[in-house]
Amino acid sequence: MPRPVPIPDEVSKPFWEAANERRLIVQICPPCDLLQFPPESICPQCNSAENLEWSEVSGRGTIDDYVVIHDSRLRLFVEEQPYNVAIIQLEEDPGIQFFSNLPGTPVDEVPVGASVEVIFVEGAAPGQLIPEWRIVH
Amino acid sequence: MAPTPLAPLSLYRERENLGIWEHRGKVAVAGLGCSPTARRWDETPETSVGANTIIAVNKALEDAGISPGAIDGLVVVPHCTGEPWAPRPIPEDFAQAYIPTDDPNDGISSMSADWLVKNMPELSNVTFAMHAPTCMSKAIVVAAQIVGDGEANTVLVVRALNNLSGRYSQWGANALDTAPGRAQWTSPWGWSAAGATYGYLLNKYCRKYGSSHDRMAPFIVNQRRNGLMNPDGFFYQHRPEAITVEDYLAARWLAKPMNLYDADMPIQVSFAYVFTTADRAKDMRQPPVYILNHASNVPKVRSNIQTLDEVEASTDAIARKVFDGSGITANDIDVFNPYDGFTLFTQYYLEGFQWHGVRRGEAHDFWAGDITVEGPHPFSSSGGNTGSGRTRVWLHNDCIQQIRGQAGNRQVNNKAEIAVSGAYTPTDSCWTTWSKYPD
Ligand SMILES: [Zn+2]
């Protein structure tokens, strides 16, 4: 997939740096015991930035459901159509979602509920690894 | 004129249990105006956003039977949804026809209160102006509160939509090889269209309740049917073609299970309403349509996209807020126009409000019955965006027209005394309760 290359910002920089080390991290607010992804500048529960940390997670999850994109608004993806986009729920907290194209899974043959594990792939240009997910057999 | 402020969050009634709206029945709609529709702008001044908006404003004033000098407030949605014109050079004949503002897009792909006042000098008594973000539903809520609070007496509520030539939405961030800002969490996986969220949710919904995408068909067919009875709409004016069940089932996928007819079609058109106090409305030309309440959901989405649980909780909540603030129950809603752009989320509103007793998981069964305007369950009598083009406005117009008895062939056979309309997404929407009577 010719993926647009993410441009880290101040809040997301640790996430993308960890991805380049093939580690998946999400934010956590320990007093609230709450994971957060995508990262934000404050915890949505206590509205404070004070206790926000990063926490490495297992990279395991399940396929919640999916769609097949036939008409993408993203120029880089138009030639890849049709393609799967699944919603992955993180093992540690199913409320945390990641997108995945499920590399290796045929279009529209997505096993909803299946277990997946994180992998890291290149985007359209080298230099930034991007988390992806593949089915665990 | 000082820069126009964006409506503060304090104007929205977004919390639960606020009780009856303090201005219930004291604010009314007195005028409604629409410009002609077009699929795309032909780049002449006569069909520009600016020209359309002046047409809509003049029609709304005429409908109310008042002069421009009677207007003392403006609530305008500056965002016109389509692609911005800049950095293209301003067409010369447009530049000659209209007075510019600081925004080069103004009058072409945006519409500010400043532009309106500059180009309609007959609006000479305007002392109050406010912008509302993205949607007529928000402008209505803001204007209702403004008039109720006495910030202005007689207000124009304005919403314009633009659509330039070219492929809709393959511009800006979507054309990049990089993913900056919020796109860093979506574009690397090819996730862009908002509609994909509702495709995902429809899959969840169908798994949970045992339905299928095919069972959406009767709703989409009826939406277009209602739209073809709306003389202001795009399809009525330019493409008077029904959709059949077969058309729907054969349509190409955009984001399976969302197909072409589940998405609305961008068009160019402008709208204006006259909002005023109930007392003033009684002396104007049309029978007043009173506002009993407004209520809003502000987005609360935990992770990347809405979950079915979040959507069901949000639409339950907005129904409670509408009922609580209006002092009505689901049984009191004669005309119900929840948003349909995308069609795949309309069922959540229907089930959240339990209109005509429809509970979670039952919307597709309901649509299999008689939902025509002639029948006992005239659901979404406006025809919505599906029936008349992308505006998020037809639903409100229909509530006003049904209560006035001016909905023409769309007029429901049931009584039409209380109507509810709202847009847009289940987790981010603004709702209004309209009534023939102030109490
Ligand atoms: Zn916290």
Side-chain angles (χ1 to χ4, degrees):
Chain A
M1 289 278 188
R3 304 166 188 277
V5 179
I7 308 288
D9 53 41
E10 204 174 312
V11 173
S12 69
K13 205 165 164 241
F15 177 87
W16 292 113
E17 283 174 359
N20 272 348
E21 297 164 3
R22 297 178 187 275
R23 295 188 303 123
L24 186 69
I25 62 173
V26 298
Q27 284 177 314
I28 184 167
C29 181
C32 296
D33 193 24
L34 189 68
L35 298 182
Q36 177 163 261
F37 179 82
E40 300 285 352
S41 52
I42 57 167
C43 165
Q45 192 153 301
C46 60
N47 292 318
S48 161
E50 207 143 308
N51 300 303
L52 275 183
E53 298 169 8
W54 290 93
S55 171
E56 185 163 349
V57 291
S58 65
R60 288 188 298 271
T62 53
I63 299 172
D64 182 36
D65 223 308
Y66 73 104
V67 297
V68 181
I69 307 281
H70 289 253
D71 190 351
S72 183
R73 287 182 179 184
L74 290 160
R75 191 180 51 79
L76 282 185
F77 274 88
V78 169
E79 286 189 12
E80 306 299 318
Q81 292 168 180
Y83 57 92
N84 295 324
V85 187
I87 308 296
I88 306 300
Q89 296 182 309
L90 188 66
E91 183 178 87
E92 285 85 345
D93 179 346
I96 299 293
Q97 306 158 321
F98 293 88
F99 292 114
S100 172
N101 301 124
L102 298 173
T105 301
V107 173
D108 211 2
E109 291 179 28
V110 173
V112 170
S115 298
V116 292
E117 63 186 5
V118 72
I119 55 173
F120 293 88
V121 301
E122 291 276 3
Q128 178 61 62
L129 290 177
I130 295 167
E132 254 298 0
W133 305 76
R134 72 177 168 210
I135 293 166
V136 182
H137 292 284
Chain B
M1 207 172 166
T4 305
L6 191 65
L9 282 178
S10 58
L11 291 175
Y12 300 86
R13 288 168 58 84
E14 58 95 3
R15 285 187 297 130
E16 293 225 32
N17 302 312
L18 288 174
I20 296 286
W21 184 38
E22 66 271 20
H23 305 307
R24 183 182 191 270
K26 293 177 186 148
V27 178
V29 184
L32 160 65
C34 314
S35 78
T37 62
R39 176 77 175 99
R40 298 178 189 281
W41 186 35
D42 63 8
E43 302 184 13
T44 65
E46 297 77 24
T47 57
S48 64
V49 161
N52 279 347
T53 304
I54 291 172
I55 291 170
V57 165
N58 282 325
K59 284 193 174 174
L61 293 171
E62 188 190 329
D63 189 44
I66 59 174
S67 69
I71 298 295
D72 64 352
L74 300 175
V75 176
V76 180
V77 181
H79 172 78
C80 292
T81 304
E83 181 183 0
W85 177 261
R88 281 163 270 213
I90 305 299
E92 207 164 296
D93 49 358
F94 180 86
Q96 277 171 9
Y98 298 107
I99 300 166
T101 68
D102 296 340
D103 171 9
N105 288 318
D106 227 348
I108 296 180
S109 58
S110 55
M111 176 45 57
S112 70
D114 192 23
W115 192 95
L116 206 55
V117 169
K118 279 196 163 92
N119 287 282
M120 293 193 77
E122 61 272 36
L123 296 170
S124 52
N125 291 322
V126 171
T127 54
F128 178 96
M130 192 169 267
H131 283 166
T134 65
C135 195
M136 183 60 113
S137 303
K138 291 183 197 277
I140 287 171
V141 157
V142 167
Q145 191 64 39
I146 290 302
V147 172
D149 289 346
E151 298 279 339
N153 292 323
T154 303
V155 170
L156 280 169
V157 192
V158 174
R159 164 69 157 144
L161 293 112
N162 82 296
N163 193 31
L164 304 181
S165 56
R167 181 84 203 283
Y168 191 83
S169 262
Q170 255 175 26
W171 41 272
N174 289 342
L176 298 176
D177 292 354
T178 56
R182 296 305 299 181
Q184 70 186 296
W185 309 117
T186 54
S187 299
W189 302 272
W191 187 269
S192 62
T197 298
Y198 302 103
Y200 151 76
L201 286 169
L202 188 83
N203 274 340
K204 295 284 292 179
Y205 176 93
C206 289
R207 278 183 227 285
K208 182 172 177 180
Y209 298 112
S211 191
S212 66
H213 178 263
D214 293 0
R215 301 188 69 231
M216 296 284 303
F219 170 51
I220 282 76
V221 167
N222 195 61
Q223 286 290 86
R224 178 63 64 81
R225 182 175 184 271
N226 289 344
L228 294 180
M229 295 189 276
N230 172 19
D232 299 321
F234 173 83
F235 291 103
Y236 179 100
Q237 292 176 356
H238 301 285
R239 213 180 279 178
E241 297 156 11
I243 300 174
T244 64
V245 170
E246 292 69 32
D247 292 335
Y248 183 71
L249 299 184
R252 69 183 176 90
W253 298 114
L254 301 179
K256 189 184 172 191
M258 181 183 75
N259 77 20
L260 189 65
Y261 293 118
D262 293 318
D264 49 3
M265 199 178 78
I267 60 169
Q268 176 136 330
V269 59
S270 295
F271 300 93
Y273 299 128
V274 174
F275 275 35
T276 190
T277 60
D279 285 342
R280 285 179 180 81
K282 286 183 192 120
D283 299 327
M284 295 183 186
R285 180 174 290 155
Q286 296 289 350
V289 174
Y290 300 93
I291 296 178
L292 299 187
N293 183 36
H294 64 85
S296 300
N297 266 354
V298 298
K300 286 188 190 72
V301 177
R302 173 149 182 230
S303 189
N304 260 315
I305 61 169
Q306 300 157 37
T307 65
L308 186 58
D309 286 346
E310 284 169 338
V311 161
E312 294 191 335
S314 301
T315 46
D316 283 345
I318 196 65
R320 287 194 299 268
K321 292 180 217 179
V322 167
F323 298 150
D324 173 51
S326 323
I328 63 168
T329 68
N331 292 336
D332 297 316
I333 302 175
D334 302 316
V335 170
F336 186 45
N337 278 306
Y339 187 46
D340 69 324
F342 302 91
T343 61
L344 300 191
F345 57 54
T346 309
Q347 65 216 358
Y348 307 121
Y349 294 123
L350 171 58
E351 296 170 0
F353 279 83
Q354 295 189 23
W355 192 69
H356 287 218
V358 179
R359 292 174 178 270
R360 289 289 172 208
E362 296 177 353
H364 296 178
D365 297 331
F366 179 73
W367 290 339
D370 184 357
I371 56 171
T372 64
V373 292
E374 297 89 343
H377 309 293
F379 179 67
S380 186
S381 43
S382 77
N385 280 21
T386 322
S388 291
R390 174 180 300 168
T391 64
R392 301 186 192 139
V393 178
W394 311 116
L395 62 169
H396 309 301
N397 292 2
D398 184 67
C399 290
I400 298 165
Q401 291 164 333
Q402 294 283 355
I403 288 172
R404 285 179 175 180
Q406 297 174 356
N409 291 339
R410 282 187 347 276
Q411 189 69 43
V412 298
N413 269 350
N414 292 358
K415 75 176 161 66
E417 294 178 358
I418 292 184
V420 168
S421 56
Y424 48 122
T425 69
T427 55
D428 181 359
S429 62
C430 293
W431 293 73
T432 304
T433 309
W434 317 84
S435 176
K436 186 169 185 173
Y437 304 108
D439 43 30

